[in-house]
Amino acid sequence: MLTLANLAEEVQIAYRRRIKLKKNDFSDEASATTESNIEETLKRLVGELNKTPEEVFDALKNQTVDLVLTAHPTQSVRRSLLQKHARIRDCLTQLNAKDITPDDKQELDEALQREIQAGFRTDEIRRNPPTPQDEMRAGMSYFHETIWKGVPKFLRRVDTALKNIGINERVPYNAPLIQFSSWMGGDRDGNPRVTPEVTRDVCLLARMMVANLYFSQIEDLMFELSMWRCSDELRTRAIELHSSTKRDAKHYIEFWKQVPGNEPYRVILGYVRDKLYHTREHARQLLTDGASDIPRESTFTNVEEFLEPLELCYTSLCACGDRAIADGSLLDFLRQVSTFGLSLVRLDIRQESERHTDVLDAITRHLDIGSYREWDENRRQEWLLSELRGKRPLFGSDLPKTEEISDVLDTFKVISELPSDSFGAYIISMATAPSDVLAVELLQRECRVSNPLRVVPLFEKLADLESAPAAVARLFSIDWYRDRINGKQEVMIGYSDSGKDAGRLSAAWQLYKAQEELVKVAKEYGVKLTMFHGRGGTVGRGGGPTHLAILSQPPDTVHGSLRVTVQGEVIEQSFGEEHLCFRTLQRFTAATLEHGMHPPVAPKPEWRALMDEMAVVATEEYRSVVFQEPRFVEYFRLATPELEYGRMNIGSRPSKRKPSGGIESLRAIPWIFAWTQTRFHLPVWLGFGAAMQHVIDKDIRNLNMLKDMYNGWPFFRVTIDLIEMVFAKGDPGIAALYDKLLVSEDLWSFGEQLRAHYETTRNLILQVAGHTDLLQGDPYLRQRLTLRDPYITVLNVCQVYTLKRIRDPSYSVEVGPHLSKEIMEMDTNKPADELVKLNPTSEYAPGLEDTLILTMKGIAAGLQNTG
């Protein structure tokens, strides 16, 4: 029901937005402060901020937003159901059309009923965890369904917006406005299921998929470009191709007879079609058989080779006075080729730094020169640089290898064997020192990676973020490395683990300061820095409205170049439907442009000092509860469904990095997930209240300063607003019910203490924001949450009683008479028996495990957050 409510609400908001746009009313009822409209942004930059149209155009065509799709396990809805939801959404959209006839309405009502019934009859629970290949196929399905056509459609809207400010040029088709990357099948950090074979499979699968997408469009383009007039250059090429291709190609649907020579564009495009066919089949054969009998010269091996004949057609049309035709489907096709290339997405590889240390330690021990692991940082750097400057091979086939070492080296081997445009960056998680980066550079060279991947250190925990600027400065001070990067460096910052390590307030402030310092270091060494933001969907993992997230970044840290992860459930929320895809691309592009051309204000020195003081108090408070309080781990495991999270089968990777570890080894997603389910959201707010109370008690004037910070500093305002939104979704009364039923009596006082902190923090947040009620500044969101609350509360009650029965089999619930006579008179056992058969091997009483999982999914749908 909650999922259907979400769909109906989404369609209704889109419908009302379209009506407002027709009236030139650009306010967004979802939340006016969270929307970035490209046309309004361009007009504001020119009209209000005194930028020239040429300056805006120049900045726009040179900026890049790279959206990195990840398989983080937060998408709790099965793909089978997502597809049904898309069809329900489509029916609802059509029902809003003004020209709908009674017959149309009747047919749409029937289709809607059919899809809803099909959804109810589909098992909502994944019975087996997805493989990395399954995750990749699910992620790639969004390209086929919305992104593929959404990108050229969005770029056309950008062209229109530019025209409206006086620029009569289109965005060049090769301008890198929007790029896509992926971690699906490349993120092996803590996921043993992502093997070198998986990485190879997902790369080849993506290459096969993109060739097929191009191939499915090329004949439409051949139909369109039937013109005979062309440039001399194109005519010469067409004659050459026509004379060399005499055969009939009967495996095509159209044009399988040879194209007549007097249709030169079709001759050129026929050549492109032939190569696309062989490119697709080459990838298919490699994927299924490991080898291909198709000669490489019959395929496209690089994107420049693919673009060249298409560019020739475009310039010829323009030269012959047919620019209007050139700027039609051909321009869309060129933009798709420039955006998606021959790989669809570029796959990032992510690995933990310790795994590289293991490999190098094995090598140095094998060479009898000591233990790399035991060397200090200076010794490591010295040895790595001497090897990087030399040419001798470090090891041969006689190197003793454990399974883990073979996995790392075989991954580099896969990178060396596949086309270089299949890959993006090599991310090193838990990076702390320059040697972590140099180690990957050396391993790439040793494994004969001809076009080495750019190496990106990922700083995640609070201490790593604090030391990141110094570590990057030491890296840039190395002459060899500066020559290697050619003036460009990417650094990734992690929102999830930093929040889990120190709490949301301290993490947010340290992320802000780290970016400022990293940019200063990069400027000092003349390096262009790209920040890669590892943001999750929930506030506890760095989530929030895109527009606000970008515009609250420190000045000069975006600078026309942004990479950001789009994780799990957020992929569906961003790209699940055509208009969602369009708005996502618009938000990222407009906000990135605005941040670069009109940076947000920098904080005043006294604001910084207050934030520094608050962050220290917030970290101490958070860690004193989460890591130092001896009762906390037991309380957390009893009061939340953390132990049951793995039963949802929503991801291929384990929920812990180390199976035997405690809170430290628990991944950020199940950590946030568990507290979200109980509506307590502890990781998000813990520390805020203590920090604000401390500075107010110290000097009452600090309360006014906090209010000034809220009203004058985008970063602080966004931070407070997001916490307020989390409180609006929370309910300490529900958390108290979990305590009463699931937690032992000796821990009840601890739960009451935490709930008292919750209330204090909420009141302080309202005081600083100047609000009397939660979400006073966002009535639309408040109304939507109010409508959902009764459904979610029932699910919470159902969940907590189910958890009680699972954990205490002797506990029994006395079922009272049902309120509905109709249900009482029905034979209710039959459908229940059928449902129980879906999970016959459950270790619990019939139906309990499935009931628990369904409540988890329902609460996630109602709160529109999983983890």
Side-chain angles (χ1 to χ4, degrees), residues 242-262:
H242 191 261
S243 60
S244 64
T245 54
K246 297 290 185 185
R247 60 182 175 76
D248 291 346
K250 295 186 180 180
H251 46 261
Y252 299 135
I253 296 172
E254 302 285 358
F255 300 107
W256 51 271
K257 292 284 186 183
Q258 189 180 21
V259 176
N262 64 345

Side-chain angles (χ1 to χ4, degrees), residues 384-404:
L384 289 166
L385 287 167
S386 69
E387 293 300 331
L388 283 163
R389 289 178 178 127
K391 293 185 177 177
R392 67 165 184 169
L394 261 183
F395 61 90
S397 57
D398 60 336
L399 176 71
K401 300 172 190 171
T402 63
E403 188 177 333
E404 289 78 12

Side-chain angles (χ1 to χ4, degrees), residues 306-327:
F306 186 10
L307 280 169
E308 190 273 333
L310 301 172
E311 290 170 336
L312 182 61
C313 291
Y314 187 86
T315 53
S316 172
L317 286 166
C318 292
C320 294
D322 291 327
R323 178 176 286 276
I325 298 170
D327 285 340

Side-chain angles (χ1 to χ4, degrees), residues 584-794:
T584 298
L585 300 179
Q586 179 167 251
R587 284 170 176 159
F588 276 105
T589 303
T592 302
L593 179 67
E594 185 173 344
H595 189 286
M597 299 201 76
H598 182 58
V601 296
K604 296 176 182 178
E606 58 267 30
W607 294 355
R608 284 181 175 280
L610 196 65
M611 277 299 295
D612 283 335
E613 189 175 346
M614 287 171 62
V616 170
V617 175
T619 303
E620 287 176 358
E621 170 75 6
Y622 179 89
R623 288 177 172 171
S624 70
V625 172
V626 174
F627 297 113
Q628 292 159 19
E629 167 59 62
R631 297 172 293 175
F632 181 77
V633 173
E634 184 186 0
Y635 175 80
F636 167 58
R637 295 204 163 132
L638 290 173
T640 73
E642 181 260 332
L643 294 172
E644 290 79 10
Y645 164 79
R647 300 181 185 278
M648 291 181 73
N649 289 328
I650 61 176
S652 68
R653 76 180 186 185
S655 62
K656 287 189 175 184
R657 283 188 166 92
K658 296 174 184 174
S660 59
I663 300 294
E664 295 87 349
S665 70
L666 184 69
R667 287 192 175 274
I669 289 170
W671 167 245
I672 298 293
F673 169 87
W675 293 109
T676 302
Q677 287 284 303
T678 64
R679 313 270 294 280
F680 199 45
H681 307 286
L682 178 134
V684 180
W685 58 261
L686 184 61
F688 264 89
M692 288 190 287
Q693 193 66 63
H694 168 81
V695 296
I696 293 169
D697 289 346
K698 182 179 177 182
D699 188 341
I700 192 63
R701 290 175 296 181
N702 284 335
L703 177 57
N704 288 328
M705 191 186 295
L706 288 169
K707 290 180 178 180
D708 290 343
M709 290 162 66
Y710 178 80
N711 292 316
W713 184 16
F715 163 78
F716 191 71
R717 186 185 189 97
V718 167
T719 304
I720 295 296
D721 284 349
L722 290 176
I723 301 302
E724 186 180 346
M725 183 268 287
V726 168
F727 276 121
K729 291 184 175 184
D731 188 338
I734 293 293
L737 179 63
Y738 279 74
D739 276 18
K740 182 180 177 183
L741 283 171
L742 303 174
V743 175
S744 52
E745 283 191 41
D746 58 316
L747 292 174
W748 283 2
S749 61
F750 181 59
E752 288 167 4
Q753 182 185 329
L754 289 175
R755 288 191 291 279
H757 286 323
Y758 177 103
E759 295 291 350
T760 302
T761 306
R762 182 180 65 179
N763 293 335
L764 285 166
I765 289 284
L766 289 172
Q767 206 174 347
V768 169
H771 295 163
T772 54
D773 295 312
L774 290 169
L775 294 180
Q776 186 176 316
D778 193 348
Y780 293 110
L781 179 57
R782 185 169 61 184
Q783 181 189 31
R784 285 150 59 194
L785 291 177
T786 302
L787 289 171
R788 284 170 171 74
D789 189 65
Y791 296 97
I792 304 171
T793 299
V794 169

Side-chain angles (χ1 to χ4, degrees), residues 93-284:
T93 302
Q94 290 183 60
L95 282 168
N96 281 330
K98 281 191 174 181
D99 57 351
I100 188 170
T101 67
D103 287 348
D104 290 336
K105 184 179 184 306
Q106 183 179 335
E107 289 164 11
L108 284 167
D109 285 340
E110 289 174 359
L112 197 57
Q113 183 180 351
R114 188 163 52 245
E115 292 297 341
I116 291 171
Q117 188 166 340
F120 279 131
R121 290 286 189 266
T122 300
D123 188 2
E124 291 192 51
I125 300 170
R126 286 192 185 97
R127 298 299 170 182
N128 298 296
T131 65
Q133 291 97 323
D134 292 334
E135 291 173 330
M136 185 269 180
R137 287 188 190 93
M140 294 307 101
S141 68
Y142 291 98
F143 287 85
H144 184 267
E145 289 159 17
T146 62
I147 299 173
W148 185 257
K149 292 182 179 177
V151 166
K153 180 181 176 182
F154 166 68
L155 292 173
R156 285 195 173 278
R157 182 60 54 84
V158 176
D159 290 339
T160 303
L162 285 167
K163 197 168 186 179
N164 290 338
I165 62 166
I167 297 292
N168 290 316
E169 282 185 68
R170 294 182 180 275
V171 175
Y173 60 81
N174 55 357
L177 248 69
I178 297 288
Q179 301 290 307
F180 291 93
S181 301
S182 172
W183 280 15
M184 299 174 188
D187 181 9
R188 55 229 323 116
D189 177 19
N191 191 349
R193 298 183 182 98
V194 179
T195 62
E197 292 74 25
V198 166
T199 298
R200 180 181 181 277
D201 283 356
V202 298
C203 284
L204 291 172
L205 186 60
R207 296 184 82 83
M208 185 179 77
M209 287 173 69
V210 77
N212 195 51
L213 284 167
Y214 290 130
F215 183 76
S216 65
Q217 281 183 220
I218 195 72
E219 287 185 345
D220 291 340
L221 204 55
M222 289 174 76
F223 266 113
E224 189 170 320
L225 299 188
S226 56
M227 289 66 67
W228 54 266
R229 181 181 292 173
C230 67
S231 66
D232 292 341
E233 184 183 2
L234 187 138
R235 189 172 302 282
T236 302
R237 176 76 66 84
I239 291 169
E240 289 173 5
L241 290 173
H242 191 261
S243 60
S244 64
T245 54
K246 297 290 185 185
R247 60 182 175 76
D248 291 346
K250 295 186 180 180
H251 46 261
Y252 299 135
I253 296 172
E254 302 285 358
F255 300 107
W256 51 271
K257 292 284 186 183
Q258 189 180 21
V259 176
N262 64 345
E263 295 179 338
Y265 293 101
R266 286 179 169 174
V267 172
I268 299 290
L269 294 175
Y271 159 79
V272 173
R273 179 184 64 170
D274 289 349
K275 282 212 145 188
L276 283 172
Y277 176 83
H278 290 124
T279 301
R280 182 188 68 184
E281 295 308 303
H282 178 74
R284 189 197 305 276

Side-chain angles (χ1 to χ4, degrees), residues 405 507 519 559 627 646:
I405 289 171
V519 166
H559 213 59
F627 297 113

